[in-house]
Amino acid sequence: MNAAPSSDGIDATLAVALMPYLRSSRLLIAVSGGPDSTALMHAAARLGSAHPIQVATVDHRLRAEGGDEARSVGLTARALGLSHHILTWDGDKPSRGIQAAARHARYTLLAECAGRVGADTILTGHTADDQAETVLMRLLAGSGPGGLAGMRRERDLAPGMRLARPFLDIPKADLVAYCAAHGLVSARDPSNVDERFARARLRRLMPDLAAEGLSPERLRRLAARMARDEDALRDAACAAFTALRITADAVVLDAPPLAALPDAILIRVVGLALHEAGGGGAIRLERLERLVVDGLRPALVAGTAMRRTLRGILVDLNAEGVLSLRTAPPRRSPS
């Protein structure tokens, strides 16, 4: 068994993870009050930043204790010399999919706050344990390489604003140890062990899965490999989309060369085209596969026309070998 890292070792690990952001970014740190984000806030304050650090806590208004926990974070933040903002998720809450809805609301509120305070980077305390759980959840959901890549260390939230997870390679146990070493009190979110939620159920199963070989480390390694492969596939798809686009002011592609692309690339080219045409956010892989593998690919090979609609976008392959994507016309109401 590996020995637990020393307090000095944990401090150094956190410093290495944080310094790239502290040197140049205008930071808003998302702090729930749990050990991960508390360690993130404390370590950032100790190390210092090139710009004033802002802290925000989201009160989802789902638990009576949420307001007190947010105010407690504020006291700790101010004791560290940091400005603190409490963001509330007001309004009606959905009866189903509450965790996904809360996550969407949380990032929306954080992005709005970052815009108000002039931050360009939002830091969260996601850990290596969170990454392993995310990959396992997506594996069970049948995700492709993009989903199995797990959480990315950085992603864009809005133009000029990114979300970053500096502790994504650090085990949660190290952050708990950091809090203990520095006398930091952290909150406990009961939803983390509430087995109504899939993540909590899978967290309980993790030791048994690790005993069979599906360890958190192997799940994280899978995420790294999938991220590497997904990036390569995405780059190839972007290059093909650019090369085959006929006009810049509409989503129109030269279709015959698409038939030579492997399915993995063709699916991503069509996904890019749908997004460019106004098809909204992420599209489920199964729906893209049905469109491309069952519809577009056979039509390309046979040289026949095809028309399908997905996410309000008309995908139109004509007999002349031109593939166009545009907003679908409204459906006629029955007379």
Side-chain angles (χ1 to χ4, degrees):
M1 180 180 295
N2 294 330
S6 67
S7 174
D8 288 346
I10 296 171
D11 287 4
T13 297
L14 270 56
V16 168
L18 280 170
M19 285 310 298
Y21 302 102
L22 294 170
R23 288 192 185 108
S24 59
S25 302
R26 297 183 181 275
L27 300 176
L28 175 67
I29 300 180
V31 182
S32 66
D36 310 337
S37 56
T38 298
L40 172 62
M41 172 176 63
H42 186 270
R46 288 182 70 229
L47 292 165
S49 174
H51 304 284
I53 296 173
Q54 307 277 336
V55 177
T57 303
V58 178
D59 178 3
H60 298 89
R61 299 287 177 92
L62 295 174
R63 295 184 295 113
E65 305 88 350
D68 289 339
E69 290 170 0
R71 286 185 286 274
S72 178
V73 172
L75 292 174
T76 304
R78 285 188 285 275
L80 293 168
L82 308 178
S83 298
H84 181 253
H85 312 270
I86 295 178
L87 315 175
T88 57
W89 181 27
D90 296 316
D92 295 335
K93 308 299 189 290
S95 58
R96 300 181 62 184
I98 186 64
Q99 287 200 315
R103 182 168 56 251
H104 176 76
R106 180 164 59 250
Y107 286 128
T108 298
L109 289 166
L110 287 168
E112 290 172 351
C113 181
R116 288 195 301 271
V117 302
D120 57 32
T121 303
I122 299 170
L123 297 187
T124 68
H126 289 104
T127 68
D129 299 62
D130 297 317
Q131 179 73 305
E133 292 164 7
T134 297
V135 174
L136 182 58
M137 290 180 71
R138 293 181 181 179
L139 181 66
L140 295 175
S143 295
L148 295 179
M151 294 180 285
R152 296 303 184 104
R153 186 174 306 281
E154 296 182 4
R155 68 178 178 89
D156 291 336
L157 277 181
M161 187 184 300
R162 62 178 172 169
L163 173 72
R165 302 176 173 103
F167 293 169
L168 205 54
D169 294 328
I170 300 175
K172 183 183 185 72
D174 287 3
L175 301 179
V176 172
Y178 177 95
C179 289
H182 291 279
L184 302 174
V185 177
S186 57
R188 175 182 173 275
D189 185 346
S191 69
N192 288 334
V193 292
D194 187 337
E195 295 205 358
R196 291 178 300 170
F197 303 122
R199 188 177 287 270
R201 295 194 299 273
L202 293 176
R203 189 173 291 135
R204 177 177 56 80
L205 294 174
M206 277 291 194
D208 291 337
L209 294 174
E212 296 296 333
L214 192 60
S215 65
E217 176 55 36
R218 284 185 173 171
L219 287 166
R220 294 193 294 269
R221 196 176 307 140
L222 173 63
R225 289 168 175 162
M226 289 296 99
R228 178 190 63 203
D229 291 354
E230 177 63 21
D231 287 346
L233 291 167
R234 183 79 176 181
D235 287 347
C238 287
F241 178 70
T242 300
L244 298 178
R245 190 167 182 173
I246 295 173
T247 176
D249 58 358
V251 185
V252 181
L253 303 178
D254 182 19
L258 292 172
L261 297 176
D263 282 348
I265 305 297
L266 182 56
I267 287 168
R268 287 165 174 79
V269 169
V270 174
L272 288 168
L274 284 163
H275 180 76
E276 184 78 5
I283 300 171
R284 290 186 64 85
L285 180 58
E286 291 87 349
R287 300 186 71 187
L288 265 177
E289 286 174 334
R290 285 197 296 270
L291 170 65
V292 173
V293 178
D294 299 338
L296 181 59
R297 168 74 74 191
L300 288 169
V301 171
T304 57
M306 182 213 76
R307 298 186 96 193
R308 298 279 180 90
T309 301
L310 180 59
R311 293 290 285 271
I313 301 298
L314 177 63
V315 182
D316 186 3
L317 174 65
N318 66 25
E320 287 71 43
V322 175
L323 177 66
S324 63
L325 294 91
R326 59 187 181 275
T327 302
R331 296 190 178 191
R332 294 181 180 176
S333 57
S335 56

